[in-house]
């Protein structure tokens, strides 16, 4: 859900910036939006991996029960 929100925010920001720069073409606006979305997804991915790693570090799984 957070990734969808991040993509929506990045699209809104890139759309606002494309409206501000009236002299750019449609393909340039698309490339700028794509770069913004890619950057947001990379940052979200790194943060989520760090959060999962930290959680697993402080809350390790219980050891498996071996034997009868």
């Amino acid at each position: 859900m957070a990734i969808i929100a991040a993509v929506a925010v990045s699209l809104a920001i890139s759309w606002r910036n494309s409206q501000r720069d009236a002299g750019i073409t449609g393909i340039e606006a698309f490339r700028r939006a794509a770069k913004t979305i890619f950057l947001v997804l990379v940052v979200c991915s790194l943060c989520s991996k760090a959060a999962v790693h930290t959680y697993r570090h402080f809350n390790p799984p219980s050891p498996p029960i071996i034997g009868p």
Side-chain angles (χ1 to χ4, degrees):
M1 188 59 134
I3 292 176
I4 294 171
V7 169
V9 168
S10 66
L11 278 174
I13 291 171
S14 63
W15 180 78
R16 188 185 67 172
N17 287 340
S18 69
Q19 296 299 319
R20 188 179 305 157
D21 299 330
I24 64 173
T25 63
I27 195 74
E28 290 171 343
F30 174 76
R31 291 184 72 193
R32 181 183 291 171
K35 287 179 185 179
T36 304
I37 292 170
F38 181 72
L39 178 66
V40 167
L41 289 177
V42 166
V43 170
C44 288
S45 173
L46 291 174
C47 289
S48 68
K49 285 182 182 181
V52 168
H53 177 74
T54 303
Y55 176 80
R56 288 184 181 165
H57 177 76
F58 290 109
N59 300 305
S62 59
I65 300 172
I66 299 174

